[in-house]
């Protein structure tokens, strides 16, 4: 047989080798802009659409073409385009079409509010591999409380325009204090109106945009107890959390990064700074000054081989390997790649108590005084 | 087999080699359908590169038979099957004689 169809999972398994010396940057993400037409209270990057200084600093389409050429040469297959809001860039389709033409499997994250008929038509012509829209609420007051803009109708229009053209998409939202009480309604609406399963993310990061780094988004985080209550109320998500926490794992080992960062994944911010992941802006490489290959090679020592320098409570925690905490969270929250993050710690322990085995729960409870 | 047929690759299929995999990626299809990515073996990759609209299937069959350890009959069967599959998914088109 000389030709065969293949699914993403199988393809990944075949390409990703256990040998980390074979490092191939298979997956990447690019933030095309930090500017956005919404002004969400939870967002870690958003800047006003009209921020001229930010716009002037962004990678041009020509620079993005060059980066595309380099990552394709290096073996990248999957690429996520995110922001900010990607469609505030008038040259989005010039960038997107070039990436598709080079054989990248491009995914897009968007708030959906700028998807007009023209945008939807162009996406339908060359559909993204994956398209995810944030649906922050299904009533105008909640949507506005989340985004500071009256744009719910535009978001719903965008979703319908894409579905009318047969584009597969996913709906999602972060959960914050502003939309927590509407979550069951959002989920029900998504299924009833669009036939799409809605998923949520409780993780809200500190801001990472230069000059605006800060903890403001954390003010809208929902308490860990209420997140677990949501896990239990939303079947699919509860199943996912249950699956993960039924058999959680410790983390162990001598290395800081245990997630594959710098082995198969990379990230590029709107200004050309490459990092191992969008969560770790502190270890970067300027693609305007050098090549992707040079930056990628530099990550071997700075990321892949980076060893722990201290003992932290996660080292002996039975569920640290299942927890969402990672060097990126520590970096954003404490400026320290190795620092634990209290919010995630409490959330993980509550989830393990809700979904884990009795033996595990007793282990966790013994460790509880270490929190905080 | 009509050995004088010629085929040309569709421009909306991108051919890539990544590590040990040879992939055909249709850029106008919806990748939400996971069956839209195709992998080729080395024979398939060689054939793909030869489907340039100028070579006949006979030319290509002869190249395959000489470069790979296969008989002309096996090369012919492989080529027929491969081209039919590519035509089915729109990756190649016959060139008018």
């Amino acid at each position: 047989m000389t030709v065969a169809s293949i699914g993403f999972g199988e393809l990944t398994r075949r390409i990703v080798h256990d040998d980390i010396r074979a490092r191939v940057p298979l997956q990447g993400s690019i933030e095309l802009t930090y500017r956005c037409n919404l002004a969400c209270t939870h967002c870690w990057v958003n800047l006003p659409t009209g921020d001229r200084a930010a716009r002037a600093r962004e990678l041009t389409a020509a620079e993005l073409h060059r980066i595309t050429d380099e990552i394709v040469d290096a073996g990248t297959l999957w690429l996520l385009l995110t922001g900010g809001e990607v469609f505030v860039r008038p040259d989005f389709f010039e960038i997107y079409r070039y990436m598709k033409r080079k054989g990248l499997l491009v995914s897009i994250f968007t708030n959906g509010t700028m998807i007009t008929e023209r945008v939807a038509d162009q996406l339908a012509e060359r559909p993204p591999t994956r398209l995810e829209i944030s649906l922050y609420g299904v009533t105008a007051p909640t949507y506005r409380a989340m985004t500071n803009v009256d744009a719910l109708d535009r978001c719903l229009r965008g979703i319908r325009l894409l579905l009318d053209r047969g584009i597969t998409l996913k709906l999602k939202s972060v959960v914050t204090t502003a939309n927590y009480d509407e979550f069951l309604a959002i989920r029900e609406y998504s299924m009833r109106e669009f036939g799409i399963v809605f998923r949520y993310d409780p993780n809200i990061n500190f801001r990472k945009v230069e000059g605006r780094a800060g903890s403001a988004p954390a003010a809208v985080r929902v308490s860990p107890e209420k997140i677990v209550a949501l896990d239990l109320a939303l079947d699919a998500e509860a199943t996912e959390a249950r699956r993960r926490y039924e058999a959680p794992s410790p983390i162990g080992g001598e290395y800081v990064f245990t997630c594959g960062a710098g082995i198969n994944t990379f990230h590029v911010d709107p200004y050309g700074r490459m990092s191992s992941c969008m969560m770790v802006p502190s270890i970067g490489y300027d693609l305007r000054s050098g090549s992707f290959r040079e930056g990628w090679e530099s990550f071997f020592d700075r990321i892949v081989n980076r060893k722990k320098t201290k003992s932290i409570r996660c080292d002996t925690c039975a569920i640290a390997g299942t927890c969402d905490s990672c060097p990126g969270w520590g970096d954003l929250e404490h400026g320290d790649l190795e620092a634990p993050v209290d919010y995630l710690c409490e959330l993980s322990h509550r989830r393990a108590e809700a979904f884990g085995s009795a033996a595990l729960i007793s282990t966790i409870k013994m460790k509880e005084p270490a929190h905080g | 087999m009509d050995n004088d047929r010629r085929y040309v690759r569709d421009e909306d299929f991108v051919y890539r080699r990544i590590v040990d995999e040879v992939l055909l990626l249709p850029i106008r299809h919806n990748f939400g359908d996971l069956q839209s990515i195709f992998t080729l073996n080395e024979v398939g990759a060689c054939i793909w590169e030869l489907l340039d609209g100028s070579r006949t299937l006979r030319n290509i069959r002869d190249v395959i038979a000489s470069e790979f350890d296969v008989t002309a009959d096996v090369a012919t069967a492989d080529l027929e099957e491969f081209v039919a599959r590519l035509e089915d998914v729109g990756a190649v088109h016959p060139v008018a004689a």
Side-chain angles (χ1 to χ4, degrees):
Chain A
M1 189 72 177
T2 48
V3 59
S5 302
I6 189 169
F8 285 174
E10 173 60 16
L11 181 59
T12 306
R13 278 190 293 278
R14 282 164 54 166
I15 293 178
V16 176
H17 293 258
D18 292 336
D19 182 354
I20 64 166
R21 289 169 301 184
R23 297 169 62 224
V24 177
L26 281 174
Q27 299 185 50
S29 51
I30 297 181
E31 289 164 317
L32 292 180
T33 179
Y34 284 151
R35 294 175 298 122
C36 185
N37 60 320
L38 305 183
C40 298
T41 52
H42 62 270
C43 187
W44 66 333
V45 296
N46 60 3
L47 297 173
T49 305
D51 186 328
R52 290 186 178 184
R55 184 173 182 172
R57 289 182 62 205
E58 290 168 4
L59 291 167
T60 64
E63 288 175 313
L64 285 160
H65 293 345
R66 192 262 292 172
I67 291 169
T68 299
D69 291 342
E70 292 190 23
I71 63 176
V72 166
D73 285 347
T76 301
L77 183 56
W78 290 278
L79 185 71
L80 167 67
L81 297 181
T82 183
E85 170 51 45
V86 295
F87 292 114
V88 304
R89 285 195 62 141
D91 55 0
F92 173 81
F93 281 103
E94 180 186 352
I95 296 161
Y96 175 72
R97 278 195 292 267
Y98 189 85
M99 290 169 169
K100 293 277 288 184
R101 173 61 60 193
K102 288 289 180 173
L104 288 169
L105 302 182
V106 183
S107 298
I108 299 170
F109 288 178
T110 172
N111 64 39
T113 62
M114 297 183 72
I115 296 177
T116 59
E117 290 205 9
R118 185 168 166 273
V119 169
D121 285 344
Q122 292 186 81
L123 287 172
E125 190 180 350
R126 292 178 179 79
T129 299
R130 186 165 52 115
L131 194 150
E132 296 190 4
I133 293 181
S134 298
L135 179 59
Y136 295 118
V138 288
T139 63
T142 297
Y143 195 90
R144 181 177 174 77
M146 290 286 291
T147 65
N148 288 302
V149 179
D150 288 317
L152 174 60
D153 288 348
R154 278 183 278 152
C155 177
L156 297 177
R157 179 200 59 184
I159 293 168
R160 290 195 178 97
L161 287 171
L162 295 173
L163 291 176
D164 287 348
R165 287 157 178 77
I167 295 176
T168 304
L169 56 87
K170 292 183 176 178
L171 298 177
K172 63 182 181 181
S173 176
V174 293
V175 58
T176 79
T177 52
N179 67 359
Y180 182 83
D181 291 335
E182 195 163 303
F183 243 74
L184 294 178
I186 302 174
R187 181 180 172 81
E188 195 273 330
Y189 184 94
S190 299
M191 186 54 76
R192 186 185 71 237
E193 292 293 317
F194 307 125
I196 297 175
V197 175
F198 180 80
R199 70 177 181 80
Y200 84 100
D201 184 351
N203 295 336
I204 295 173
N205 296 112
F206 282 20
R207 288 184 69 80
K208 69 170 181 172
V209 178
E210 298 88 341
R212 296 185 65 183
S215 61
V220 297
R221 280 179 183 159
V222 174
S223 73
E225 299 136 279
K226 293 181 82 170
I227 293 298
V228 171
L230 202 55
D231 285 339
L232 291 165
L234 301 175
D235 292 343
E237 283 76 8
T239 303
E240 167 61 15
R242 187 175 289 116
R243 184 188 64 74
R244 288 171 57 203
Y245 282 92
E246 272 176 351
S249 58
I251 199 152
E254 59 183 325
Y255 295 101
V256 173
F257 291 88
T258 58
C259 57
I263 297 176
N264 294 117
T265 64
F266 68 89
H267 176 71
V268 180
D269 81 6
Y271 315 125
R273 186 173 165 84
M274 174 186 171
S275 55
S276 60
C277 135
M278 67 176 77
M279 294 283 292
V280 187
S282 67
I283 305 174
Y285 179 88
D286 183 6
L287 290 177
R288 280 177 158 145
S289 304
S291 70
F292 176 84
R293 178 67 69 184
E294 289 165 349
W296 181 248
E297 293 305 324
S298 79
F299 286 162
F300 192 69
D301 285 333
R302 295 196 295 157
I303 302 283
V304 180
N305 269 348
R306 193 180 197 93
K307 292 189 177 176
K308 293 176 181 172
T309 61
K310 62 175 100 171
S311 294
I312 58 171
R313 62 179 187 257
C314 306
D315 296 340
T316 55
C317 177
I319 61 172
T322 306
C323 178
D324 288 333
S325 191
C326 71
W329 273 86
D331 197 21
L332 288 169
E333 208 119 323
H334 301 292
D336 178 353
L337 293 166
E338 299 177 55
V341 173
D342 292 343
Y343 177 78
L344 294 178
C345 186
E346 186 181 346
L347 176 58
S348 295
H349 282 75
R350 288 192 182 278
R351 279 178 155 166
E353 287 175 16
F355 304 125
S357 67
L360 173 73
I361 291 166
S362 77
T363 308
I364 294 166
K365 282 184 173 169
M366 282 193 297
K367 291 184 178 300
E368 213 155 19
H371 294 175
Chain B
M1 174 175 170
D2 176 359
N3 288 331
D4 292 326
R5 277 181 294 156
R6 288 178 291 138
Y7 288 84
V8 65
R9 299 183 293 268
D10 189 293
E11 289 185 353
D12 285 322
F13 279 72
V14 181
Y15 168 90
R16 293 192 60 191
R17 281 181 181 269
I18 299 178
V19 193
D20 297 325
E21 299 295 330
V22 182
L23 306 175
L24 267 190
L25 306 161
I27 63 176
R28 283 183 188 265
H29 291 201
N30 191 342
F31 281 116
D33 171 9
L34 298 186
Q35 298 308 308
S36 296
I37 299 175
F38 305 100
T39 60
L40 310 183
N41 64 15
E42 284 303 320
V43 177
C46 180
I47 295 171
W48 176 260
E49 290 177 348
L50 295 169
L51 288 167
D52 58 4
S54 64
R55 292 179 172 86
T56 64
L57 292 185
R58 179 186 296 109
N59 297 147
I60 296 172
R61 189 268 318 273
D62 292 344
V63 172
I64 297 301
S66 68
E67 292 196 5
F68 297 90
D69 187 19
V70 292
T71 64
D73 285 348
V74 171
T76 300
D78 258 12
L79 183 57
E80 279 285 328
E81 179 188 350
F82 184 62
V83 170
R85 179 93 167 99
L86 292 180
E87 196 172 4
D88 281 347
V89 300
V92 297
H93 308 287
V95 176

